[in-house]
Amino acid sequence: MTEQPTRILLVDDQELLRAGFRIILGSQPGIEIVGEASDGAEAVALATTLAPDVICMDVQMPGMDGLEATRRIVADPDTNAAVLILTTFDRDDYLAEALRAGASGFLLKNSSPEELVAAVSVVAGGEALLSPAVTRRVIEGFTRQSPVVEDAAQDPAVPAGPTTGADYEQLTEREREVLQLVAQGLSNQEIATTLFVGEATVKSHVSKVLQKLALRDRIQAVIYTYEHGLASPRS
């Protein structure tokens, strides 16, 4: 049986950039460019009608921007596309909002063609694209915004520490350990090396963590750790 190609929707208000992405991705075996959009509203509509596997999404566009479009696409139960944010702006606020919106990855437009192709492959495979460097920035940025940290700063009587719920209590000690390593941006292979276990075992632990915490992917796991005071730049 012939494997189905990965269907890509390109979203950018600059036609020249879309052309560049189309040339880079369209020349790859196993990738099919199924459509293009110049703003967020058009992207939302095409995500439904074209059923792409991956949407390469710009952030700043006239009308509906890429972040709002991402929120709507991810929230639509009839759309299964993974969103890869592509932007020229290396800003923590864009990164934070993109991840909050439900994006599966974040890539700067000055990345190499090889990095773009690899990023599409990663998110198309159902994984989240979050490098250790980006993970550190996420944790650092969100730790500064953490309610736990803010409460402690405003009231010395309020202890700074984890604020977890019943879902977290369901995790085993090993699963909590794996969650911490995921939050540091480690891959399954790196976690396996760190814990001296097989990669298949790590995959099983990660799946159970995501299931017990009702999280979509590894990116949501990172967000969960800082929102509950479980991660910091020093952890």
Side-chain angles (χ1 to χ4, degrees), residues 96 100 137-155 158-164 222-234:
R100 286 186 187 276
R137 291 181 57 181
V138 171
I139 295 176
E140 289 169 359
F142 285 137
T143 298
R144 290 193 295 268
Q145 304 170 19
S146 170
V148 174
V149 175
E150 290 178 357
D151 288 345
Q154 294 171 5
D155 185 354
V158 177
T163 55
T164 57
V222 173
I223 295 176
Y224 179 93
T225 60
Y226 77 73
E227 285 185 335
H228 292 80
L230 298 171
S232 71
R234 294 180 299 276

Side-chain angles (χ1 to χ4, degrees), residues 7 13 19 63 120 125 138 163 189 194 198 201 226:
R7 297 165 55 83
D13 62 328
V120 167
V138 171
T163 55
Q189 183 177 8
T194 301
T201 300
Y226 77 73

Side-chain angles (χ1 to χ4, degrees), residues 57-124:
M57 181 80 73
D58 187 22
V59 174
Q60 285 197 330
M61 294 180 289
M64 185 188 298
D65 66 18
L67 298 179
E68 179 59 27
T70 298
R71 292 186 190 95
R72 298 191 184 192
I73 290 169
V74 172
D76 186 349
D78 296 325
T79 303
N80 296 316
V83 178
L84 173 63
I85 296 290
L86 299 175
T87 180
T88 57
F89 300 96
D90 187 10
R91 288 172 41 177
D92 290 344
D93 55 345
Y94 280 146
L95 172 60
E97 288 305 312
L99 300 185
R100 286 186 187 276
S104 295
F106 187 95
L107 193 69
L108 294 178
K109 289 181 180 177
N110 62 2
S111 300
S112 68
E114 293 78 13
E115 288 173 323
L116 174 60
V117 173
V120 167
S121 176
V122 168
V123 298

